[in-house]
Amino acid sequence: MSGLPGGFTRERGLHLLREMLRIREFEDRCAELYGAGHIRGFLHLCDGEEAIAVGVMQVLGPDDALVSTYREHGHALARGIAMGPLLAELYGKRAGCSGGRGGSMHVFDAATRFYGGNAIVGGGLPLAVGLGLAEKLRGTRNVSACFFGEGAVAEGEFHESMNLAALWRLPVLFICENNLYAMGTALARSESQTDIRSKAAAYDVRAAAVDGMDVLAVEQAARDAVEHARAGRGPVLLEMRTYRLRAHSMFDAQLYRDKAEVEEWRKRGPLTTLTARLKSAGLLTEDDFQALLREADAEVAAAVEFATAADWEPVADLARHVYAEAVTA
Amino acid sequence: MTAPARITYREATKQGIREALLADPRVFLMGEDVGKYGGCFAVSKGLLDEFGEERIRDTPLSESAFVGAGIGAALGGLRPVVEVMTVNFSLLALDQIVNTAATLCHMSGGQFPVPVVIRMATGAGRQLAAQHSHSLEAWYASVPGLRVVEPATIDDARGMLRAALASPDPVIVFEPISLYNMEGDLTAAAENVQLEGARVHRAGSSVTLVTYGASLWRCVAAAEVLARDGIDAEIVDLRSLRPLDDATVLDSVRKTRRVVIVDEGWRTCSLAAEIGQRIVEQGFYDLDAPIARVCTEEVPIPYPKHLEDAALPGPERIVSTVRRLLGHAD
Ligand SMILES: Cc1ncc(C[n+]2csc(CCOP(=O)(O)OP(=O)(O)O)c2C)c(N)n1
């Protein structure tokens, strides 16, 4: 993965790096804000998995639909949800992208067709099947994509959804972020067949395993998959091989893995490797990198200001949004 | 007599599991992250090292399969303790619990009782939002064939599992998430915990507060506030949600003649509704005032603290409800 494809431009490289840096800087700040008590509940960071969010989003169009999990800040930012409303959501403020009701695990945004961080493992997959069904029945060329961890592959919903999507030839991208651990459970302790990609064969679903630490590999695999789905040829399973460099959530003491293993993977972190590749190809200087970092940090600082200044929802509105307020057509 | 030990609810629960594993080789614990991770709420931390992987069994994320496997293992002569991380995730196993565990004994004409224990955390209070915070005890408590308990005290947390394992029937044990860190005295009473029966947690004469789970401590806080105004609340901790102990509740109502039911479930079709109706059916003429309920507002639990607090049946709402019932101005 060391070389860059022919025709690869500096502009493209800076763009991909910027997108991943925004995610990393945002989440590192979130960890601090969690420590300071501004963010509460569960907070799941995607350190190490940024390339998947960024690579996939490069090929999805604005009308495609997305479903994510509780580990969705990267997906949300890469999809184009503004950082201010995203952070305000993590604070529980009214200006949050979900009105403050959901918090970190439940990011929603109608404008970008982001149908939520779903915190029930596997819960988002049937939803993506339904969104794909809607596109097919409405006769569009849009696709739906869902992200989930390899832990979700053990749930019945994964298998039921794969079968249904294949049976009905729906334009659904199943994007498995295989980070090797489901909380403290290593893949080999939870799957009899650890080759996630191979599960697709049972449902006659097209599948590929991808180096999820390489944003260019992710982008290419996603492009092929989206083309396949848009052409009406049915769903695709992409197994993105990656690693969670931080704890499962802020409550996790990580008793189940060695520090050395984490450090080994950290060397392969998608930001580290892309930075090195761009530098060695002469497309990026240290000054460029520092400038990108400053840019990302400025965006994060503005988001913190936005979230801090935002109001709390009045208690009088507690029971709002249990039912729809507007009649939909 | 030795002084009572001060331990957490979490530790008490763990001691109960440990004792069960030591006492009976047929007992094993299984669930997501109970082993290497030490339990999602750290209840089973250390047990893997002590008992090994056969008896502290990590499962994949497959609630329906491993709960069902627990039911099958119980049929096969073992005494499984199945842990589902929270009641919210137990909905993926609802079919196995309701359609299989609860029915086999009856459908088989009594040939196949199902002595499985299914533990799960429940409730709100930690800003975990609408997919991690609900109290769905009433759903399970409505099903014949299940026994449903909810230890709210350190002694019950310590002793309830032993009682549950002694039962030949499927027992659902709810553990309130917000109580795991609670500290309290472990007393000799933990040695003799019964599966059934409510308990008067605080004796009083002015009003009866009927409650269970984490709301027990909301009632205790409310009773302290009320006591300053000379209102002496009696608190009944239901402990068992199926079967319900009508007699203890009615005895208390006969004494105080006023009742407020405090329930972390949603009001509609709640345990509070069931208890209120039983009081009406069996003790209507003992009442001096309408029965009141303090329940969770009918909203999925919101994430921000001020809204979560407002949704829950907190001490302030209990106090003002009691005052209104007794004709005191707020
Ligand atoms: C149905 C269900 N069971 C259990 C949980 C608790 N839980 C939350 S995340 C998680 C691990 C999921 O691992 P994986 O799917 O691999 O995703 P990752 O967290 O690694 O991104 C568990 C067990 C849950 N949220 N939903």
Side-chain angles (χ1 to χ4, degrees):
Chain A
M1 79 160 185
S2 46
L4 289 166
F8 189 84
T9 63
R10 168 178 150 86
E11 191 191 5
R12 186 96 201 110
L14 291 186
H15 168 71
L16 294 172
L17 192 58
R18 178 184 295 116
E19 284 298 284
M20 291 201 289
L21 259 181
R22 290 175 67 229
I23 296 172
R24 191 69 274 117
E25 294 303 291
F26 174 80
E27 283 204 329
D28 285 355
R29 192 63 192 274
C30 286
E32 290 168 25
L33 293 166
Y34 192 89
H38 295 295
I39 300 173
R40 312 287 294 264
F42 284 154
L43 177 70
H44 307 86
L45 305 179
C46 69
D47 193 354
E49 307 181 34
E50 299 89 343
I52 302 166
V54 171
V56 169
M57 295 311 164
Q58 302 312 305
V59 300
L60 290 181
D63 294 330
D64 293 326
L66 272 120
V67 187
S68 184
T69 68
Y70 46 86
R71 197 182 301 289
E72 85 279 50
H73 309 146
H75 307 141
L77 286 172
R79 179 61 177 170
I81 298 179
M83 203 180 271
L86 177 63
L87 188 63
E89 187 56 41
L90 273 55
Y91 275 48
K93 296 288 185 78
R94 180 160 50 173
C97 56
S98 313
R101 296 293 172 122
S104 163
M105 297 197 286
H106 304 297
V107 168
F108 287 82
D109 183 50
T112 55
R113 299 203 74 197
F114 199 90
Y115 290 92
N118 198 314
I120 302 300
V121 171
L125 280 71
L127 219 62
V129 172
L131 286 161
L133 177 62
E135 297 304 338
K136 179 165 174 158
L137 294 185
R138 286 167 50 228
T140 74
R141 280 174 54 81
N142 302 329
V143 305
S144 74
C146 55
F147 293 92
F148 51 94
E150 84 292 345
V153 171
E155 294 283 9
E157 279 168 323
F158 168 80
H159 300 272
E160 296 175 27
S161 297
M162 291 273 286
N163 180 50
L164 206 52
L167 185 69
W168 292 344
R169 275 186 166 254
L170 301 179
V172 182
L173 267 48
F174 293 96
I175 303 167
C176 178
E177 300 178 315
N178 177 5
N179 61 17
L180 299 176
Y181 291 91
M183 276 182 70
T185 303
L187 179 59
R189 294 172 59 84
S190 67
E191 287 292 315
S192 58
Q193 167 55 272
T194 55
D195 182 12
I196 303 288
R197 169 190 46 184
S198 72
K199 319 249 174 205
Y203 305 102
D204 200 16
V205 167
R206 179 185 161 128
V210 184
D211 178 358
M213 307 305 262
D214 177 353
V215 67
L216 300 180
V218 171
E219 185 179 350
Q220 188 52 51
R223 178 159 287 121
D224 295 346
V226 168
E227 254 167 43
H228 178 91
R230 275 206 215 292
R233 281 182 272 146
V236 181
L237 170 69
L238 294 178
E239 179 197 347
M240 301 292 186
R241 296 192 171 153
T242 182
Y243 195 79
R244 160 165 67 65
L245 292 171
R246 293 179 71 128
H248 168 75
S249 72
M250 305 308 277
F251 289 105
D252 170 12
Q254 303 191 63
L255 305 172
Y256 49 85
R257 64 182 184 184
D258 288 342
K259 286 209 172 68
E261 177 185 301
V262 181
E263 285 321 307
E264 214 33 59
W265 275 94
R266 191 172 288 285
K267 292 181 199 151
R268 294 182 50 195
L271 271 157
T272 311
T273 51
L274 183 64
T275 305
R277 282 164 85 184
L278 293 175
K279 279 185 176 169
S280 71
L283 299 179
L284 180 82
T285 65
E286 182 56 26
D287 282 352
D288 293 334
F289 181 81
Q290 291 303 327
L292 288 180
L293 197 59
R294 276 195 303 277
E295 201 185 298
D297 289 344
E299 189 183 3
V300 172
V304 173
E305 212 166 292
F306 177 85
T308 307
D311 305 334
W312 297 106
E313 189 168 15
V315 170
D317 286 353
L318 175 63
R320 268 190 79 185
H321 305 306
V322 177
Y323 297 100
E325 287 177 2
V327 179
T328 49
Chain B
M1 221 181 97
T2 51
R6 248 190 117 61
I7 60 171
T8 61
Y9 184 100
R10 170 184 293 106
E11 175 63 21
T13 306
K14 183 209 270 190
Q15 286 184 12
I17 298 169
R18 189 168 171 271
E19 176 197 69
L21 288 158
L22 289 170
D24 184 345
R26 296 173 306 168
V27 171
F28 66 99
L29 176 70
M30 97 173 133
E32 292 159 13
D33 286 307
V34 297
K36 277 229 157 187
Y37 193 86
C40 60
F41 298 108
V43 169
S44 50
K45 203 165 159 183
L47 294 181
L48 176 65
D49 288 342
E50 184 174 358
F51 295 98
E53 296 196 354
E54 289 290 307
R55 299 185 73 200
I56 306 295
R57 193 165 271 277
D58 276 324
T59 66
L61 277 131
S62 311
E63 286 81 3
S64 186
F66 72 75
V67 170
I71 296 165
L75 290 173
L78 301 180
R79 284 291 181 275
V81 177
V82 183
E83 175 180 308
V84 182
M85 287 181 168
T86 81
V87 65
N88 309 274
F89 316 149
S90 80
L91 302 190
L92 281 81
L94 202 53
D95 166 61
Q96 289 294 325
I97 300 173
V98 175
N99 285 325
T100 302
T103 59
L104 279 193
C105 183
H106 179 79
M107 289 195 299
S108 66
Q111 297 176 84
F112 292 129
V114 182
V116 66
V117 174
I118 305 171
R119 299 171 43 241
M120 55 185 83
T122 183
R126 293 185 49 188
Q127 290 192 252
L128 301 181
Q131 292 182 331
H132 278 68
S133 302
H134 290 151
S135 292
L136 306 176
E137 289 90 327
W139 297 15
Y140 287 101
S142 79
V143 180
L146 301 179
R147 296 179 182 276
V148 181
V149 296
E150 186 154 339
T153 63
I154 299 292
D155 286 343
D156 275 348
R158 174 68 177 79
M160 198 74 101
L161 185 64
R162 185 193 309 153
L165 283 164
S167 167
D169 300 315
V171 182
I172 314 288
V173 182
F174 285 103
E175 298 168 9
I177 289 179
S178 61
L179 296 188
Y180 281 125
N181 289 332
M182 176 183 79
E183 275 193 18
D185 291 336
L186 179 67
T187 75
E191 295 300 315
N192 194 26
V193 167
Q194 304 298 309
L195 194 60
E196 292 185 17
R199 186 181 54 91
V200 176
H201 183 86
R202 179 190 197 277
S205 55
S206 325
V207 60
T208 297
L209 305 178
V210 181
T211 190
Y212 64 94
S215 297
L216 172 64
W217 304 102
R218 301 182 173 116
C219 289
V220 168
E224 282 164 14
V225 174
L226 291 165
R228 283 183 232 135
D229 292 351
I231 300 172
D232 186 19
E234 175 147 308
I235 303 174
V236 176
D237 173 9
L238 290 169
R239 299 178 66 259
S240 169
L241 308 179
R242 185 181 190 99
L244 285 166
D245 173 3
D246 297 349
T248 301
V249 172
L250 284 153
D251 281 350
S252 178
V253 171
R254 262 190 293 279
K255 191 167 77 169
T256 65
R257 311 188 72 85
R258 290 178 181 82
V259 59
V260 175
I261 308 162
V262 182
D263 182 354
E264 197 176 317
W266 292 298
R267 184 185 184 89
T268 304
C269 300
S270 59
L271 273 159
E274 177 63 28
I275 294 155
Q277 183 62 23
R278 288 178 184 219
I279 295 169
V280 168
E281 285 166 356
Q282 301 170 56
F284 185 75
Y285 296 107
D286 297 319
L287 289 169
D288 283 348
I291 296 166
R293 288 187 277 166
V294 183
C295 302
T296 289
E297 296 294 341
E298 307 243 335
V299 58
I301 300 291
Y303 161 67
K305 178 151 175 44
H306 68 296
L307 295 183
E308 180 178 49
D309 286 346
L312 296 173
E316 300 76 23
R317 276 172 61 200
I318 301 170
V319 166
S320 64
T321 304
V322 168
R323 286 201 174 123
R324 208 174 331 114
L325 201 68
L326 269 61
H328 289 236
D330 236 340

